[in-house]
Amino acid sequence: MRRITIWLLSTVAALVLLFSYRTSTMGAGGETSAVAGGDPAGGAWSGTDGGATGSAPSDGAPSDGAATGGSGTNGSGTTGDGTATGSVAQTRWGPVQVRITVSGGKITDVVAVQVPDGNHRDQEINDYAVPILRQEVLAAQSARIDTVSGATVTSDGYRESLQSAIDAAHLR
């Protein structure tokens, strides 16, 4: 009887430790992410929009979505060259934000501007996951990309910020 009790307590203790350990790969059902500022699109584009030129913040800080560069005709469904920075997706483990570079209406580059980095494990996960997410975006040319196993929260935030950048660049 004593062995069973010790085994049972050890098992319960191990499970408690396993499920309470905080990493950016785990969520407990209540994980949500939201775009800062309440605007679901949030990103902005500043090439030429049918003759009107916009601009990025003067300090270059892309905190809530900004875009720079290039020329094109966004109002007509085609996009010129430039960059668009998506809104900051506030995830359970920290902010995620991406910037896309567009050339000829295609996404030619994606850079993670912000990813969770609160601990060493977050950094390990993102060193692994972010290059995979980047390759998926370049292949898919959209935010319809798979979640990287072991980096669910970061993947969700990445997709959310990416979609706002794509919306700002008027890509389809």
Side-chain angles (χ1 to χ4, degrees):
M1 179 71 171
R2 182 172 178 185
R3 282 185 184 175
I4 292 173
T5 303
I6 291 173
W7 175 82
L8 183 59
L9 289 174
S10 297
T11 302
V12 169
L15 288 172
V16 167
L17 286 173
L18 177 68
F19 289 112
S20 65
Y21 183 72
R22 179 189 180 270
T23 69
S24 63
T25 64
M26 295 173 53
E31 65 189 13
T32 59
S33 59
V35 175
D39 178 9
W45 176 264
S46 77
T48 51
D49 294 336
T53 302
S55 63
S58 61
D59 65 359
S63 63
D64 63 350
T68 61
S71 62
T73 55
N74 281 337
S76 66
T78 56
T79 304
D81 301 342
T83 61
T85 303
S87 295
V88 177
Q90 295 296 340
T91 71
R92 180 181 183 120
W93 307 129
V96 178
Q97 184 178 37
V98 300
R99 178 182 305 121
I100 61 172
T101 301
V102 177
S103 180
K106 301 279 186 196
I107 300 171
T108 58
D109 195 18
V110 185
V111 176
V113 178
Q114 294 184 67
V115 291
D117 62 356
N119 60 51
H120 182 66
R121 182 70 177 135
D122 286 341
Q123 294 167 3
E124 286 177 352
I125 290 166
N126 293 317
D127 286 348
Y128 166 75
V130 169
I132 294 170
L133 291 165
R134 178 183 178 276
Q135 288 300 333
E136 292 221 7
V137 171
L138 295 176
Q141 290 293 304
S142 75
R144 290 184 301 269
I145 58 174
D146 291 333
T147 297
V148 174
S149 180
T152 303
V153 173
T154 297
S155 296
D156 290 347
Y158 194 97
R159 263 192 305 273
E160 187 175 321
S161 182
L162 173 65
Q163 186 61 59
S164 73
I166 289 170
D167 292 346
H170 298 285
L171 293 176
R172 295 178 188 215

